[in-house]
Amino acid sequence: MQNSTPQPIPERQNVTPSEFREEILPAGRPVIMRGLVADWPIVAAGRRSPAALCSYIRGFDRGQPVSTAFGPPSLNGRLFYNDDVSGLNFRSNKAKLSASLDYLIEHQDDDDASALAVQSVPTRGALPGFEEANPNPILGGVEPRVWIGNKVIIAPHYDPSENIACVVAGRRRFTLFPPEQIANLYIGPFELTPAGATISMVSLEDPDLERYPRFAEAMKAAVVADLEPGDAIYVPYMWWHHVRSLGNVNVLVNYWWSDHDKARGEPRDALLHAMLAIKALPPRQRAAWRAHFDHYVFQTTGDPGAHLPEERRGIIGTLTNDAIRSIKGALATKMTRG
């Protein structure tokens, strides 16, 4: 692709908690934090050998079944849809972590092994004690999740949360796209997804630009970095990210969090409702509602209630928890009647 080489992601070293909170997080741009978790015991175990790494993980395992994806060698590691997008090209179920670790050790030298991905293991329930033994040096209180596998490829997707991902064994290549590139990424269906999040239909390894021509524009905005054991990446809220594991034994630990007030509801639910209620309107009516969204939701011209007394601003002002519950209840009633 012409002029499509992604730019490198900026790097920082010796990042402190205050630097992350006061500089990196507010900027909302991806950053590589080299060596952030290099002193973790699990990183040391991974450097010794795959066997030592798996043995270290087994020390915390309580036998809880965890989400596990498995696909044939013909996938070349790409966990994706089948040819007609009627299903997935891999199996996903709950399995014992120990069985997956056994498989990785057995096939650690096999470049043609079936794809294996143990996904988003919640450590506090499945690996108690792991969090305390491998503490996040810049972020407290957020539960770590563990991802384990071999050479797998995860399509560009987004998370409605902030994300710090720490590579602790193997190597991973991250390719990121800003949220506004959504139209150029050719997103798949909402109703069927590989892991809950909508994904790009384009293969970064072999993009079909006749079918997906605007993807060339997305690549102009892409940024990329290879992470080694001990490195971490900050993936900002709703940035699209493609992840490729480059080794036969890989482990990543990530942290999702958001300052979003859950009591107000999920933004994605509001998007789905807007798609249902507004998308089919005539163009002139959609344009009118866009003006309302810009004014009340995105506030492109400032505070929409600034001209009203504070006590008369209602939903466009500051809401109490009781008011939020009342509004959600009214919405639920209207939607049920509809």
Side-chain angles (χ1 to χ4, degrees), residues 261 264 296 299 303-327:
D261 182 359
R264 290 176 173 263
Y296 287 112
Q299 300 186 20
D303 182 356
H307 59 288
L308 296 173
E310 177 66 38
E311 67 275 11
R312 293 292 179 263
R313 294 181 186 178
I315 193 172
I316 62 176
T318 302
L319 295 176
T320 65
N321 289 336
D322 286 342
I324 292 171
R325 284 191 291 270
S326 177
I327 294 167

Side-chain angles (χ1 to χ4, degrees), residues 12-26 31-40 131 134-142 162-166 230-235 253-255 257:
R12 300 274 292 265
Q13 292 185 332
N14 302 316
V15 174
T16 66
S18 60
E19 286 174 335
F20 179 74
R21 283 289 182 184
E22 297 170 13
E23 299 174 21
I24 295 175
L25 191 58
V31 172
I32 302 300
M33 295 173 279
R34 294 291 183 191
L36 183 73
V37 297
D39 60 349
W40 274 1
E131 181 178 3
N134 301 273
N136 189 311
I138 60 172
L139 188 69
V142 180
E162 308 286 1
N163 185 7
I164 292 177
C166 308
D231 295 338
I233 180 174
Y234 165 56
V235 180
V253 176
N254 93 297
Y255 302 80
W257 80 99

Side-chain angles (χ1 to χ4, degrees), residues 102-311:
D102 289 342
Y103 179 85
L104 289 177
I105 294 299
E106 180 181 353
H107 294 277
Q108 60 182 298
D109 298 318
D110 183 0
D111 289 333
D112 296 321
S114 294
L116 172 72
V118 179
Q119 300 175 308
S120 190
V121 178
T123 55
R124 292 174 186 173
L127 301 170
F130 179 92
E131 181 178 3
E132 292 74 18
N134 301 273
N136 189 311
I138 60 172
L139 188 69
V142 180
E143 180 178 16
R145 292 176 174 268
V146 177
W147 308 70
I148 304 169
N150 51 16
K151 290 183 178 179
V152 298
I153 300 170
I154 305 301
H157 63 285
Y158 73 90
D159 301 313
S161 59
E162 308 286 1
N163 185 7
I164 292 177
C166 308
V167 173
V168 299
R171 296 171 56 245
R172 297 201 186 212
R173 177 169 299 154
F174 284 80
T175 305
L176 275 63
F177 304 86
E180 59 266 24
Q181 288 299 316
I182 182 171
N184 297 327
L185 290 173
Y186 297 89
I187 306 307
F190 276 72
E191 293 79 9
L192 174 67
T193 66
T198 50
I199 67 170
S200 170
M201 299 298 292
V202 187
S203 167
L204 266 69
E205 291 70 33
D206 185 23
D208 183 347
L209 293 185
E210 290 189 5
R211 186 174 184 181
Y212 307 115
R214 293 194 308 273
F215 184 69
E217 294 300 314
M219 286 303 294
K220 293 177 183 179
V223 292
V224 65
D226 288 355
L227 272 65
E228 304 285 342
D231 295 338
I233 180 174
Y234 165 56
V235 180
Y237 186 92
M238 290 189 72
W239 272 64
W240 299 89
H241 47 291
H242 172 276
V243 187
R244 179 169 188 163
S245 301
L246 301 174
N248 289 341
V249 179
N250 301 275
V251 179
L252 177 139
V253 176
N254 93 297
Y255 302 80
W256 284 316
W257 80 99
S258 173
D259 295 329
H260 168 62
D261 182 359
K262 298 293 186 180
R264 290 176 173 263
E266 293 296 332
R268 187 175 185 273
D269 294 339
L271 172 65
L272 293 175
H273 189 200
M275 291 169 67
L276 184 66
I278 297 175
K279 186 178 71 170
L281 294 176
R284 178 171 56 84
Q285 295 179 16
R286 289 202 308 270
W289 280 111
R290 178 185 296 149
H292 279 251
F293 272 73
D294 284 344
H295 182 65
Y296 287 112
V297 179
F298 302 109
Q299 300 186 20
T300 55
T301 55
D303 182 356
H307 59 288
L308 296 173
E310 177 66 38
E311 67 275 11

Side-chain angles (χ1 to χ4, degrees), residues 68-90:
T68 306
F70 195 77
S74 59
L75 302 183
N76 294 317
R78 190 183 186 212
L79 303 181
F80 195 65
Y81 293 103
N82 58 16
D83 290 341
D84 65 359
V85 197
S86 63
L88 304 176
N89 66 359
F90 62 94

